[in-house]
Amino acid sequence: MRSNVVRGRLMLLSAGIVALVTLVACGPESSPAAAPATPATPAPGEAAAPVAVDASAPAPADALEVPPAMSTPDSAETHVNSDDATPAAAEDTVRRYYAAINAKDYAAAYALWSNGGAASRQTFDAFAGGYANTTTVQATVGKAFDPEGAAGSRYIQVPIELASRRSDGSTRHYRGSFTLRAVMADGATPGQHQWHLDSVDIEGYEPAPTASAPTK
C-alpha cells in the first residue's frame, strides 16, 4: 500500500515537469534586433526632416585639408615696384658708393655702376687702381633733381661735393653731379629696377680760404 502511494507521487511530479518544459517551449519567440530607422523620403513639396548629427563624431580626414586655393605657398616671389627708384633711393646709392670706397670694397663700388660696372668706362682693375693713393673720401650728397624717363629707363641727377684725402697728406676737392639710371622696361630684373651710376660730371676746385679769427 505504501509503495503505491510513493509511485503515485512520482508520476504526478513527472507530469508537472513535462508540463513546465512544454510551457517554456511554447513561450514567445525572442524579438529580432531592431533594424536601424531609415528616414522617410519626403513627399514632393515637403521639406526634409532635419537629421541629428553627433557632434562628438570625428570629421572625415578630407574635411580637415586646406583647399589648394587657400594654401600658403612656400615662398612668395618679390616684385620690385618702379616706385622704388625714388629720389631718396638715388641719393642713398651715391652714399653707398663712397662708403664702399672708404671700406676699400672696390668690387661693391664697381657693381653700383650700370651694366655690371661697364658704365664707369673702366675695367675693374683700372677702377680699383684709381683709388690706390686715396685714403678716404668725404662725400657731401645733395638733393636729387631733374628726374626724367626715356625708352624704358629712368634717369635722375644727384649733386656731389668731395674732399679726397691722399696718402701724401694732401686733400683734393671736387664738385659736380652723378647721373643715375634705373631700367623700367618689361622683363627687367629686380636689380635693374634699382638705381645705378650711369655717368659722372665733376671737376676740381679750390675751396675759398676760411677767414681766420682776429687776434686780440
Side-chain angles (χ1 to χ4, degrees), residues 80 84-85 93 96 181-184 189-196:
V80 177
D84 290 340
T93 299
R96 290 190 292 116
R181 173 176 176 254
V183 179
M184 296 295 146
T189 65
Q192 290 173 325
H193 278 298
Q194 298 173 2
W195 289 117
H196 286 81

Side-chain angles (χ1 to χ4, degrees), residues 80-99:
V80 177
N81 191 287
S82 61
D83 290 339
D84 290 340
T86 60
E91 298 162 13
D92 183 64
T93 299
V94 177
R95 291 189 187 96
R96 290 190 292 116
Y97 176 70
Y98 283 106

Side-chain angles (χ1 to χ4, degrees), residues 17-202:
I17 293 173
V18 171
L20 180 61
V21 171
T22 303
L23 181 61
V24 172
C26 294
E29 295 180 354
S30 300
S31 299
T38 302
T41 302
E46 293 183 0
V51 178
V53 178
D54 185 0
S56 64
D62 57 356
L64 303 178
E65 294 178 358
V66 180
M70 297 174 62
S71 300
T72 302
D74 293 335
S75 60
E77 183 180 357
T78 303
H79 298 280
V80 177
N81 191 287
S82 61
D83 290 339
D84 290 340
T86 60
E91 298 162 13
D92 183 64
T93 299
V94 177
R95 291 189 187 96
R96 290 190 292 116
Y97 176 70
Y98 283 106
I101 289 174
N102 285 330
K104 312 299 182 187
D105 190 354
Y106 302 124
Y110 190 73
L112 287 174
W113 285 90
S114 293
N115 300 323
S120 67
R121 283 77 173 173
Q122 303 178 77
T123 65
F124 173 71
D125 290 339
F127 173 82
Y131 290 98
N133 296 320
T134 301
T135 304
T136 59
V137 178
Q138 180 182 345
T140 303
V141 180
K143 290 290 185 181
F145 68 98
D146 196 22
E148 61 179 24
S153 295
R154 182 179 293 177
Y155 294 89
I156 199 168
Q157 310 291 318
V158 177
I160 190 76
E161 286 196 15
L162 306 173
S164 176
R165 188 166 183 83
R166 311 282 290 177
S167 56
D168 61 5
S170 63
T171 300
R172 297 182 181 180
H173 298 270
Y174 303 89
R175 61 187 170 195
S177 64
F178 278 100
T179 298
L180 289 84
R181 173 176 176 254
V183 179
M184 296 295 146
D186 293 339
T189 65
Q192 290 173 325
H193 278 298
Q194 298 173 2
W195 289 117
H196 286 81
L197 308 177
D198 190 67
S199 63
V200 61
D201 181 15
I202 60 174

